[in-house]
Amino acid sequence: LEEDEEFSYYDFLNVMLGRKRFKVTLYLYDISNGAAEKLAWLLLGHHFRGIWHSGVVVEWPERSSEFWFGGRIFESVPGTTPFGVPMEKVPLGYTYKPREEAWRYAAQTLSQEFTRDRYDVLTHNCNHFSDAFMLFLKNDHIPEEVLKQPELVMSTVTARLLRPALNHWLGGFDEQDGRSTDGSGAESRELWEAVLPGCRIHFCQSEGRRPFIGEVRNKGREACLVYSFDIDGTLSTRRVPRSLVVKVLKNPPPGFVEEPLLEAERLDLENREVAAIPPIIKKSGSDCGPVCAWPF
């Protein structure tokens, strides 16, 4: 531990489970190349040290990676993005997420939301991606002054006139060195197509939480019903939105027959407004259904 560093109960549990932690830093790039500090008050009516593009850097033993959004989600070597040298590096603590888990979450879950078509310099930009990714890494936000800056900047007539050009530039990056999504959300669509009744999946109960294992009972357009065990060993049926499916672990067994839905379950499966995953139906351990054939 570093001097005066706080060590939470969450940290204690991760250390006791043998998990290693990795340093997280927010890289801030001034896309105005210094003009903001000199001219922002005159043109925008506010003083800014820079107009920030951000990337989240995680230092893993095998390599350090910078994750950023520019129409695609990119994983680059830190400091090698098209934005040059970061003006500031803001320490954000530590994460216990390994590299492949972090990339999988970005490519399969966040790529549904952060696409080229949805990029907007005001409402859906690189800083919003950094914030969403940080919630996954350590359940914390990036500094508010970075996240809220576009609202201040775009409130002026000058910035609003530049909005289409900024969207085209900042949301239109093509492939760079390293990994990237294709900007269309194809990875998440392929994952959802692989989710079939009877398959075993990793899913999260909310954004950024550690995944659980369950068996898909039924599948709708935007969610599926999943058998999974609670901590007390009770088998529950849960509605899992497609955005919270992390990975398909095993295909359906041969001859698997999809169970008919009760009316309440059908309505719940079609309800796209439900964000959390509360248990829908509880079953006793002696009536576990096909999921008990697969050890968790």
Side-chain angles (χ1 to χ4, degrees), residues 54-68:
S54 66
V56 177
V57 174
V58 186
E59 299 178 23
W60 286 292
E62 64 270 29
R63 62 161 283 175
S64 295
S65 294
E66 180 172 355
F67 295 85
W68 57 283

Side-chain angles (χ1 to χ4, degrees), residues 63-68 74-78 80-81 176-178:
R63 62 161 283 175
S64 295
S65 294
E66 180 172 355
F67 295 85
W68 57 283
F74 296 91
E75 181 194 15
S76 306
V77 175
T80 65
T81 71
Q176 307 286 321
D177 291 338

Side-chain angles (χ1 to χ4, degrees), residues 2 14 29 55 115 118 137 145 165 189 218 222 238 240 272 289:
E2 297 177 4
N14 277 284
Y29 302 85
T115 64
R118 291 187 176 185
L137 290 177
E145 64 177 275
R189 288 198 299 272
N218 300 88
E222 297 295 329
R238 301 177 184 274
V240 179
R272 303 182 188 182

Side-chain angles (χ1 to χ4, degrees), residues 31-106:
I31 63 174
S32 75
N33 290 321
E37 190 167 21
K38 300 175 183 177
L39 302 175
W41 183 261
L42 176 64
L43 297 177
L44 303 176
H46 297 276
H47 178 264
F48 298 111
R49 289 176 291 117
I51 304 298
W52 302 126
H53 162 83
S54 66
V56 177
V57 174
V58 186
E59 299 178 23
W60 286 292
E62 64 270 29
R63 62 161 283 175
S64 295
S65 294
E66 180 172 355
F67 295 85
W68 57 283
F69 174 53
R72 304 166 180 250
I73 296 174
F74 296 91
E75 181 194 15
S76 306
V77 175
T80 65
T81 71
F83 300 94
V85 178
M87 183 174 175
E88 294 188 17
K89 298 179 181 180
V90 182
L92 295 179
Y94 297 86
T95 182
Y96 293 91
K97 307 288 187 181
R99 181 183 171 216
E100 288 307 313
E101 182 180 343
W103 171 251
R104 187 167 58 245
Y105 181 79

